[in-house]
Amino acid sequence: MKLKYSIFAAIAALSFTACNDFLEPDSESEFVPEDATSLNELLLGEAYQRNDMDGFNIYLGLLDDDIEAAPYQIPNEGFDGNLFLASYTWQPDMYQMMEEAGAGHINIYERYYEVILGTNAVLDYLPDVSDTEENNNKVKAQAHALRGFYYFNLVNIYGLPYNVAPDSLGVPLKLNSGIEESNDYLKRRTVADVYAQILSDLHTAEETYLLLPESEQWSDNYRTSLPMVQLMLSRTYLYMENWTKAAEYAKLVMDNKQFKLVDLNNVPLEGTDDEGKTVRNYYVFPTYKSSETIWPYGNVKDMFDWTFKGANTSNSITGNKMHAYFQASKELLDTYVSYDLRLNRYIVQAPTGDSNGTLMNMPYGKVNVGTNYYLPENAVGVFGRCLRLSEAYLNYAEAKAMLGETGEAEYALNTLREKRFDPEDYEEENFDSQEELISFVRDERRRELCFEGHRWFDLRRWGMPSFTHQWHIDAETTQTYRIEEGDLLYTIPLPDEAMQSNSSLIQNELPGKRLPKTE
């Protein structure tokens, strides 16, 4: 059967509905690849999370404790705060609230399955194309790497943490681009099943990359690579608490000569904008040319739009310049010492718009969102996120700390931290107990990887602790919402559209409406 790769096909496969013959080529949009070059184009067009594609993040940045509500401002005319409040306060009916507040179509679940369909189509076609083994292996490695990465994200959004409940419901595993006769593939598989598939995809990608010449195992473009796969294997094993394997794969990335840690001492604190004014610099990681970047991906607006929303717009009633509705949390900022170079190079400062020129610490950083950023030399490509070398050091430190190998954990921590302080301020860290070391590693992970999509997943696997979010309903009134320890809303509900289109899905167990305490 030939594949008609069209928007209709993607939506039909994603919804897991429609007739069995929807894949038959019957229109001008049919795409029948004949060689690996064509499959590479298909990967780029339909399987990669490119920097012009959105819908993969949207509200996820509002969930964790690195973010808090900014000072109250009169909303723009027509703005409905429930757009943000729904996910920011972990409401079980968040999708309905967001839709009623004017969000339109929001379905992260659907978006991920669309690109998974792209990887499946490539893998389905691969045995039939005529090309060299090396060219075919380049395609095969990329497709498996991407599919493993996407299922990792899906299961950590919609399933319980692996270390908490591996036998609980994860997500459906769709591993081909066709429509099966059986409805079994419609059902949610266990978290353990999904992790097994993630490992299968990543290990297949690793083995395939190792068949390629060394020059083809990594390139400074935004394609997947051997070190990208090895970093994802390290992350996956870390979440599974297989500390030995997590450290093993992290060390492979740390030892890769293609990458080196960015020394923030070499990033000037101040620069000059287009008008010649002195402005603060912030370092941009997700580009091709940063020495830490292993794989950049995703759209800047998609990753940070809602945390940035409101900034640089004017209130139609008051005429006042609006600021973002969220800022970096005081709790996050308090984890840094004042002379940590990351505090001034990762945490973006922007004006609130008041007459005093007050600055607020924004809940994003390390990406180009329009202030002034220090780009690596000859940097090209603007992306929202990346897999980068720092994570390998932190994965290694955490794994070794959990194994009780204190010296190795301290080595990784100190190697990273040496690049984050002025030499006059830097001191090596030493710890009196394993518990103290583990606590420090977790704080260091928070400091280094803030606003890069790690914190919510880390909180989940570290026991799902209780914390609060505050929301200002006017200048005098604040509402406090709490997510409890082990809360059911640490696992996001499946979207309403997915439940309606697939009767085999079982919704996550959800609590009642999250009610505020007013102060």
Side-chain angles (χ1 to χ4, degrees):
M1 178 183 292
K2 298 297 184 182
L3 173 67
K4 178 183 72 177
Y5 205 88
S6 64
I7 295 298
F8 168 71
I11 293 174
L14 169 68
S15 300
F16 302 118
T17 58
C19 301
N20 286 344
D21 63 352
F22 85 92
L23 292 174
E24 294 294 346
D26 57 7
S27 77
E28 296 178 359
S29 64
E30 71 178 70
F31 175 78
V32 182
E34 298 179 352
D35 54 23
T37 299
S38 298
L39 288 181
N40 257 311
E41 292 172 356
L42 181 58
L43 275 172
L44 182 61
E46 305 294 345
Y48 268 94
Q49 194 174 334
R50 303 187 312 269
N51 60 358
D52 62 346
M53 295 171 65
D54 58 17
F56 295 94
N57 188 74
I58 311 176
Y59 59 83
L60 296 180
L62 303 184
L63 298 172
D64 63 47
D65 59 351
D66 281 350
I67 192 171
E68 66 184 27
Y72 177 76
Q73 58 187 324
I74 299 174
N76 276 325
E77 185 177 4
F79 172 74
D80 186 343
N82 282 342
L83 179 67
F84 299 152
L85 192 68
S87 55
Y88 179 64
T89 60
W90 319 283
Q91 296 296 340
D93 59 344
M94 62 175 63
Y95 303 116
Q96 180 180 345
M97 285 180 63
M98 289 188 287
E99 183 176 351
E100 292 174 352
H105 183 71
I106 291 182
N107 193 334
I108 294 172
Y109 181 90
E110 175 184 83
R111 202 70 177 100
Y112 271 106
Y113 276 107
E114 285 177 352
V115 285
I116 287 172
L117 177 64
T119 67
N120 291 341
V122 167
L123 291 172
D124 285 351
Y125 265 124
L126 190 58
D128 298 325
V129 300
S130 177
D131 213 315
T132 66
E133 183 178 6
E134 179 177 318
N135 286 340
N136 285 352
N137 280 339
K138 291 178 189 177
V139 171
K140 179 181 177 181
Q142 291 177 74
H144 281 287
L146 289 169
R147 192 167 69 182
F149 176 74
Y150 295 145
Y151 272 121
F152 178 89
N153 284 286
L154 274 172
V155 76
N156 280 287
I157 296 170
Y158 299 110
L160 283 166
Y162 180 94
N163 63 336
V164 172
D167 295 327
S168 62
L169 292 176
V171 293
L173 285 174
K174 178 67 173 150
L175 302 177
N176 61 55
S177 58
I179 298 295
E180 294 91 341
E181 297 294 334
S182 169
N183 286 332
D184 286 345
Y185 80 103
L186 301 170
K187 298 177 181 178
R188 297 177 70 178
R189 303 287 292 273
T190 68
V191 170
D193 286 341
V194 180
Y195 266 80
Q197 181 59 47
I198 294 165
L199 289 177
S200 175
D201 274 321
L202 294 177
H203 278 298
T204 298
E206 178 191 31
E207 292 162 3
T208 308
Y209 271 119
L210 289 171
L211 295 174
L212 297 173
E214 188 173 342
S215 61
E216 299 291 340
Q217 293 172 5
W218 182 83
S219 181
D220 59 347
N221 54 32
Y222 91 110
R223 300 278 182 161
T224 63
S225 64
L226 178 60
M228 174 270 185
V229 169
Q230 291 169 335
L231 184 54
M232 280 306 303
L233 279 166
S234 174
R235 187 190 297 184
T236 304
Y237 281 122
L238 193 78
Y239 281 38
M240 298 175 73
E241 298 188 347
N242 185 332
W243 311 120
T244 300
K245 284 289 188 182
E248 174 187 327
Y249 278 101
K251 192 66 164 60
L252 289 173
V253 179
M254 292 159 62
D255 291 344
N256 192 308
K257 302 303 182 184
Q258 297 283 358
F259 313 104
K260 65 178 181 179
L261 293 169
V262 170
D263 189 341
L264 292 184
N265 287 283
N266 298 329
V267 179
L269 183 58
E270 293 183 340
T272 304
D273 66 12
D274 294 338
E275 299 177 355
K277 296 179 181 178
T278 300
V279 291
R280 177 173 290 186
N281 277 325
Y282 303 99
Y283 189 82
V284 174
F285 280 108
T287 71
Y288 293 150
K289 297 298 182 180
S290 172
S291 65
E292 283 197 27
T293 299
I294 295 170
W295 181 56
Y297 66 94
N299 178 273
V300 173
K301 188 174 184 291
D302 182 49
M303 299 299 179
F304 304 103
D305 187 38
W306 282 23
T307 56
F308 185 61
K309 200 71 131 181
N312 300 320
T313 62
S314 295
N315 185 290
S316 59
I317 300 172
T318 66
N320 291 337
K321 196 76 170 178
M322 305 293 288
H323 59 260
Y325 281 85
F326 300 99
Q327 61 187 351
S329 69
K330 183 179 184 300
E331 183 183 328
L332 168 65
L333 298 175
D334 286 347
T335 66
Y336 295 93
V337 293
S338 61
Y339 48 89
D340 191 325
L341 298 179
R342 292 172 293 193
L343 189 58
N344 290 322
R345 290 166 176 81
Y346 288 3
I347 310 296
V348 176
Q349 290 193 325
T352 62
D354 65 19
S355 58
N356 299 320
T358 305
L359 295 175
M360 57 187 286
N361 295 295
M362 304 297 286
Y364 53 78
K366 299 168 274 189
V367 292
N368 192 338
V369 293
T371 313
N372 194 64
Y373 293 84
Y374 184 84
L375 290 162
E377 186 176 358
N378 300 320
V380 290
V382 178
F383 293 87
R385 291 221 172 113
C386 66
L387 272 65
R388 61 187 181 95
L389 181 59
S390 292
E391 184 192 346
Y393 280 86
L394 292 164
N395 290 355
Y396 187 83
E398 182 178 346
K400 290 298 185 178
M402 297 304 296
L403 289 168
E405 298 178 23
T406 305
E408 288 296 304
E410 289 178 351
Y411 152 76
L413 280 176
N414 289 323
T415 302
L416 172 62
R417 286 172 59 81
E418 186 179 11
K419 306 296 185 182
R420 304 308 188 235
F421 291 86
D422 187 296
E424 295 181 358
D425 296 325
Y426 172 69
E427 293 182 359
E428 287 196 348
E429 297 290 338
N430 296 283
F431 304 92
D432 296 328
S433 67
Q434 183 182 15
E435 291 73 20
E436 182 184 348
L437 171 60
I438 292 169
S439 178
F440 190 92
V441 168
R442 291 180 177 183
D443 284 344
E444 188 66 17
R445 189 175 178 89
R446 185 180 192 182
R447 287 185 285 265
E448 178 63 30
L449 300 177
C450 61
F451 312 127
E452 295 186 51
H454 292 273
R455 182 63 178 173
W456 178 248
F457 289 175
D458 283 344
L459 288 173
R460 283 164 38 88
R461 66 188 180 90
W462 291 338
M464 299 183 280
S466 177
F467 64 94
T468 61
H469 276 168
Q470 292 187 325
W471 180 255
H472 307 303
I473 59 174
D474 57 42
E476 287 78 36
T477 310
T478 299
Q479 293 179 328
T480 300
Y481 295 81
R482 177 177 295 277
I483 188 167
E484 302 293 346
E485 183 177 355
D487 200 298
L488 294 172
L489 260 301
Y490 262 108
T491 305
I492 301 300
L494 295 175
D496 298 335
E497 294 97 325
M499 297 298 299
Q500 292 163 5
S501 64
N502 181 1
S503 60
S504 297
L505 289 179
I506 299 173
Q507 182 60 279
N508 290 326
E509 185 179 355
L510 301 174
K513 182 77 174 176
R514 193 60 47 86
L515 299 176
K517 174 184 177 182
T518 302
E519 300 177 0

